[in-house]
Amino acid sequence: MTIIEVKPTKPWAATPADRFRDIVILLGAIVASFLFVAATPMKGKLAYFFTFFFFYMCATAGYKLVTRGNMAARDALVSSVVSIGAVATLIPIISILATVVSKGVKGLHWSLFTTDMSLATPTDPIVAGGLLHAITGTITLVVLSLIISVPIGILTALYMTEIKGRLIGPIRFLVQAMSGVPSIVAGLFILSSVLYPITKAYSGFMGVLALSILMIPTIARTSEEVLNLIPNDLREAGVALGGTQWRTVAMIVLPAAKSGLVTAMILGVARIAGETAPLLLLTGGGDRVNPNPFDGPMGSLPYYIWKSFNAGSPEAITRAWAGLLVLVLLVLILFTAARMLGGKKK
Amino acid sequence: MTTMETSKNMSTSNILPTTNVASLEARGIHAWFGSHHVLSDINLDFAPSTVTALIGPSGCGKSTFIRTLNRMHEFIPGAAMAGEVLLDGKDVYAPGTDVTKIRLKIGMVFQKPNPFPSMSIGENVLSGLKLAQLKVANKDDLLEECLERAGLWKEVKDRLNAHGGSLSGGQQQRLCIARALAVSPQVLVMDEPCSALDPGSTLKVEETISQLKASMTIIIVTHNMQQAARVSDYTAFFLSDGGPGQMIEYAPTSDIFSRPQDQRTENYVTGRFG
């Protein structure tokens, strides 16, 4: 008996010939856009971008129309619109990251993470002084804001999804209105309601209060959406086993929503990590490491960046870029850590 | 809970309880969702250690009826009811009744398997103890006993720490049965427990029901007439003629299937319905 060997194939996948044709169309569109821009009075990168987009769309759609018909042509048209949209979205992100990294790397040196600016002036060479006060300040502000905002935000969401009390309408309205509050307004509110009448001094905690005003609605809204996704079956199962509503929520609903709630926290941190306006008004932005958020001015990375750019000297501007890079890295580390802690363990 | 009650619970958890099987009586049960009257005047007695099957077409109020028994009906917004449910002679709707204790005594298995996603297989089985804050002397014994009685022990004994969602649909449903057994209910209501299961898993669940009968009163909603005939001692036929659902006939299962008194019951059980 002969054994016929059957090879696994993918009849639905593109063949090398198909890929070659795609590349020819792509290169043709690039060449055509260059020629078109050269032949007409149009100038600039945007002109290349849009003429290339136009030629590429026409070429792929036309090719599919001839070879595969109407449906394939429409598919090609929509695909090219979607991919151009994706590229257009990625360009600013990559551009920002590339600029921050390339300019920030010049200002990086080890003592950045071990010293503060208390003994250095903005015009000192870049190796003098460091960011320690700003890094510790930002971490303190973020952590304290989380400690205040996460319980309030999640309890608000639980009120809306589990308790479903009478105030649900007004509360949802307030949460939505609060998520649109400009950060400077939050800063001014704390300035006029707490700092001037009560404490009469700058401190990190004043900044934390303003940041919490910004963070609570973000966490509450996201948590509400996440909790609404938890199937009602699970709540019924918990209650049917003789659990009280509170124990069912604490033991079943919240654990089931854990990774979504971590996302809510991450979005909350993203909302405040780079926030500058309220910190300018409330924290005083010292140049010395201040571990006490309740007493004395407290530095932070956004404040440091703002101050260094304002100082204007080339060294100060290098410092500002280094601060930006460190802020981006810090946010990245926070997000990764949150994902690893809150990710699905099984 | 007093210490005496706790110790009673402990003892019933680890040995098959044969003495505290409860009777359940439904007296004039009506149910509404908003202004929609879905169930009208149901009177049914469930004797201790019997299996009663509730049959009838979709939308006739069977599920609503069993949810009034363990007070899960009120979990739905807009729900209302009338009538009495007597568990060992005491109305579960009487003022001052602790609703969590009622649901502890009248366990429930749902139509769709719903293991808790954040817990392992073992944690799922014992979750009722944590939810209701009960204590048992030996959790491992209880875990094994419940899984054994649900017919799942052999399949999962080597992976009790695996995720509940990693089981097949039929295994998940038996896991939910084990979970309901762990708090040693006196009555177990099952809402179409086999509707999502293959014949093999269905057979295992039916064997489980037959074994459990000695230690608890069982009420099962099913669309599968053979299943009703196989597992139940008594059968009640529910029907809605466009208005609220009513109980048309109640009799020993063999009578319902061999000599039904009502023409509509006969049409339904012989498949000539509608």
Side-chain angles (χ1 to χ4, degrees), chain A residues 28-310:
Chain A
I30 291 173
V31 171
S33 66
F34 269 90
L35 293 176
F36 191 78
V37 172
T40 57
M42 287 195 289
K43 271 183 196 162
K45 289 172 191 162
L46 269 182
Y48 285 112
F49 185 76
F50 281 111
T51 48
F52 165 72
F53 175 43
F54 179 74
F55 283 126
Y56 180 72
M57 210 167 72
C58 292
T60 48
Y63 173 71
K64 294 281 166 153
L65 185 67
V66 174
T67 55
R68 297 262 202 92
N70 199 359
M71 187 74 103
R74 269 186 286 166
D75 176 58
L77 208 64
V78 175
S79 301
S80 45
V81 171
V82 170
S83 34
I84 296 283
V87 171
T89 321
L90 279 176
I91 286 172
I93 297 174
I94 292 170
S95 165
I96 289 171
L97 285 179
T99 314
V100 168
V101 169
S102 65
K103 297 208 177 188
V105 162
K106 290 176 201 152
L108 280 190
H109 56 98
W110 187 243
S111 60
L112 221 50
F113 303 102
T114 54
T115 56
D116 57 30
M117 287 297 284
S118 53
L119 298 171
T121 65
T123 48
D124 279 346
I126 181 73
V127 286
L131 286 171
L132 188 63
H133 63 296
I135 296 173
T136 54
T138 285
I139 291 176
T140 313
L141 292 175
V142 167
V143 169
L144 283 180
S145 303
L146 275 172
I147 290 173
I148 293 179
S149 308
V150 168
I152 297 180
I154 291 182
L155 286 174
T156 309
L158 286 178
Y159 182 82
M160 293 191 280
T161 61
E162 307 299 323
I163 299 175
K164 295 189 167 84
R166 267 185 211 164
L167 293 172
I168 188 164
I171 286 180
R172 189 172 284 138
F173 175 76
L174 273 179
V175 166
Q176 279 172 2
M178 264 176 79
S179 57
V181 167
S183 57
I184 188 85
V185 173
L188 286 169
F189 172 70
I190 298 298
L191 188 73
S192 56
S193 66
V194 184
L195 199 148
Y196 282 163
I198 302 171
T199 64
K200 298 184 177 64
Y202 292 128
S203 72
F205 191 65
M206 295 298 107
V208 167
L209 289 180
L211 294 179
S212 297
I213 293 179
L214 303 172
M215 201 172 188
I216 289 168
T218 310
I219 294 183
R221 285 181 72 178
T222 319
S223 305
E224 187 200 354
E225 280 167 30
V226 167
L227 289 169
N228 273 332
L229 289 178
I230 302 299
N232 223 18
D233 292 9
L234 296 179
R235 298 185 177 95
E236 292 202 343
V239 173
L241 280 169
T244 58
Q245 188 184 18
W246 161 244
R247 289 189 71 81
T248 304
V249 167
M251 285 182 49
I252 290 150
V253 178
L254 288 179
K258 190 170 137 203
S259 75
L261 295 176
V262 169
T263 304
M265 277 169 58
I266 288 178
L267 289 176
V269 172
R271 175 84 173 83
I272 63 152
E275 203 49 80
T276 320
L279 302 184
L280 295 181
L281 292 171
L282 299 167
T283 60
D287 288 331
R288 187 184 298 279
V289 172
N290 176 9
N292 183 355
F294 298 100
D295 187 31
M298 176 174 255
S300 60
L301 282 166
Y303 194 101
Y304 172 90
I305 294 161
W306 174 83
K307 195 177 171 186
S308 303
F309 270 120
N310 268 3

